[in-house]
C-alpha cells in the first residue's frame, strides 16, 4: 500500500495546491475518461445491440452520446483552465500542448456546427450534404475524424505530462494505464465483432438507391447487409426503405 501511495518520482515531493489538484482531476475526467468514451460511442454504436436494423434506422443514441460527451469535455476543460490561468508553476510544454488541445477541441465543435445539412427521405428536403455526400460533407468527415483521433492522442500525452509535473502517486498511473488498456481492448473487440457499421447505412439503410451507398465505406467500417438483394431488404416488414426510402434522388 505504501508503494502505491508513494509518488512516481521518489526524489520529489507530491505537493500541489488546491487549484492544481482540481485542474488535474477535471482534465483526467474530461480527456482520459469522457473523450474516449464519446469516440467509442460514435464509432461502434451507430446501430445499438438490441436495435432491429435495418427495419429500425437512424438511432440517435450514438449521436447524442457523442456531442453531449464532447460538450462535457469542453465545459470541464474551461473550468480546468480557469483554475490554473494565473499559475506560476513551471509547466511550459504541458501548457503548450494543453492549450493546443483545447483550441483543437473548439475547432472540432465549430466543424460539427458547420458540418452541412442532413437531408434524406425522413427530412423536409431530400437534398442534403450528408444524404448526397457532397464534397463539403466528405471533407468534413475526413478532417473531423482524423483531427479527432489526433487530439485524443495529444490529450493523453498532455495528461501524462501533467501527472509527471504533479509527481502523481503510483496508483494513479496504474489506474489510468489499466483504464486506457481496457478501452483499447474493448475497441479492438468491438472492431473485430463488426460493431463499426457504416454511418450512412446506419441512418438510411443499405438500399443502393441512396447516393451515399454508391461510395466505398470509410476505413474499417462495415456494411453487413450489402450482399443481400435490394428487393429483399425493401420488402422487409416495417422497413423504412419500403416507404420513404424509395423516393427518387
Amino acid at each position: 500500500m505504501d508503494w502505491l501511495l508513494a509518488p512516481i518520482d521518489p526524489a520529489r515531493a507530491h505537493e500541489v495546491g488546491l487549484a492544481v489538484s482540481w485542474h488535474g482531476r477535471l482534465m483526467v475526467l474530461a480527456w482520459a475518461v469522457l473523450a474516449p468514451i464519446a469516440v467509442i460511442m460514435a464509432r461502434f454504436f451507430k446501430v445499438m445491440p438490441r436495435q432491429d436494423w435495418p427495419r429500425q434506422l437512424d438511432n440517435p443514441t450514438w449521436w447524442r452520446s457523442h456531442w453531449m460527451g464532447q460538450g462535457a469535455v469542453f465545459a470541464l476543460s474551461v473550468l480546468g483552465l480557469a483554475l490554473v490561468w494565473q499559475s506560476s508553476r513551471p509547466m511550459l510544454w504541458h501548457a503548450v500542448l494543453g492549450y493546443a488541445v483545447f483550441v483543437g477541441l473548439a475547432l472540432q465543435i465549430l466543424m460539427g456546427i458547420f458540418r452541412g445539412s442532413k437531408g434524406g427521405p425522413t427530412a423536409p428536403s431530400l437534398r442534403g450534404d450528408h444524404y448526397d455526400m457532397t464534397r463539403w460533407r466528405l471533407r468534413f468527415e475526413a478532417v473531423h475524424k482524423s483531427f479527432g483521433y489526433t487530439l485524443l492522442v495529444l490529450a493523453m500525452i498532455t495528461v501524462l505530462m501533467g501527472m509527471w509535473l504533479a509527481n502523481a502517486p503510483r496508483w494513479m498511473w496504474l489506474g489510468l494505464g489499466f483504464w486506457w488498456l481496457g478501452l483499447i481492448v474493448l475497441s479492438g473487440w468491438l472492431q473485430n465483432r463488426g460493431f463499426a457499421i457504416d454511418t450512412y447505412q446506419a441512418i438510411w439503410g443499405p438500399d443502393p438507391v441512396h447516393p451515399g451507398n454508391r461510395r466505398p465505406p470509410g476505413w474499417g467500417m462495415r456494411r453487413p447487409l450489402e450482399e443481400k438483394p435490394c428487393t429483399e431488404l425493401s420488402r422487409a416488414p416495417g422497413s423504412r426503405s419500403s416507404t420513404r426510402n424509395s423516393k427518387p434522388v
Side-chain angles (χ1 to χ4, degrees):
M1 182 61 68
D2 291 338
W3 183 85
L4 289 174
L5 295 176
I8 191 69
D9 182 7
R12 294 184 291 136
H14 172 57
E15 295 179 356
V16 294
L18 183 64
V20 173
S21 63
W22 274 103
H23 165 82
R25 291 165 187 159
L26 291 175
M27 291 307 194
V28 168
L29 175 60
W31 289 100
V33 179
L34 294 180
I37 290 177
V39 171
I40 287 174
M41 289 298 299
R43 181 166 181 85
F44 298 112
F45 292 95
K46 292 185 174 74
V47 174
M48 300 300 291
R50 296 182 181 272
Q51 182 181 337
D52 187 16
W53 184 88
R55 292 180 177 88
Q56 296 176 351
L57 301 172
D58 200 6
N59 190 314
T61 302
W62 72 271
W63 162 243
R64 292 170 182 167
S65 301
H66 185 68
W67 78 260
M68 290 175 68
Q70 301 296 26
V73 171
F74 182 79
L76 291 172
S77 298
V78 171
L79 290 175
L81 287 174
L83 287 170
V84 293
W85 184 259
Q86 300 295 333
S87 176
S88 59
R89 294 175 63 89
M91 48 181 182
L92 176 61
W93 285 110
H94 172 72
V96 169
L97 274 181
Y99 285 120
V101 169
F102 180 77
V103 171
L105 176 61
L107 292 175
Q108 283 285 79
I109 293 174
L110 285 176
M111 278 192 286
I113 293 173
F114 296 103
R115 65 190 179 278
S117 58
K118 181 179 179 181
T122 58
S125 174
L126 185 65
R127 303 258 71 90
D129 289 291
H130 194 182
Y131 183 72
D132 294 330
M133 293 303 287
T134 61
R135 287 185 180 180
W136 180 265
R137 179 70 194 192
L138 291 172
R139 290 170 181 170
F140 160 75
E141 290 194 2
V143 174
H144 187 69
K145 292 176 182 179
S146 59
F147 197 40
Y149 287 123
T150 301
L151 281 180
L152 199 58
V153 173
L154 289 178
M156 291 178 179
I157 296 173
T158 307
V159 167
L160 293 177
M161 292 177 68
M163 291 175 62
W164 175 258
L165 287 170
N167 201 17
R170 293 187 176 99
W171 71 266
M172 292 184 182
W173 294 84
L174 290 173
L176 194 58
F178 281 121
W179 168 252
W180 281 346
L181 179 61
L183 292 179
I184 293 172
V185 171
L186 175 62
S187 298
W189 183 84
L190 290 170
Q191 182 71 38
N192 186 61
R193 296 285 292 181
F195 278 79
I197 295 177
D198 179 55
T199 307
Y200 195 93
Q201 289 203 352
I203 295 175
W204 289 294
D207 197 322
V209 72
H210 306 307
N213 286 334
R214 301 166 197 161
R215 305 186 61 88
W219 174 82
M221 306 305 289
R222 293 181 62 239
R223 289 178 174 173
L225 300 184
E226 200 165 54
E227 69 278 6
K228 293 191 176 182
C230 174
T231 53
E232 178 184 340
L233 294 169
S234 62
R235 293 174 183 172
S239 173
R240 292 187 187 178
S241 62
S242 64
T243 55
R244 298 178 180 177
N245 290 3
S246 60
K247 293 183 179 181
V249 294

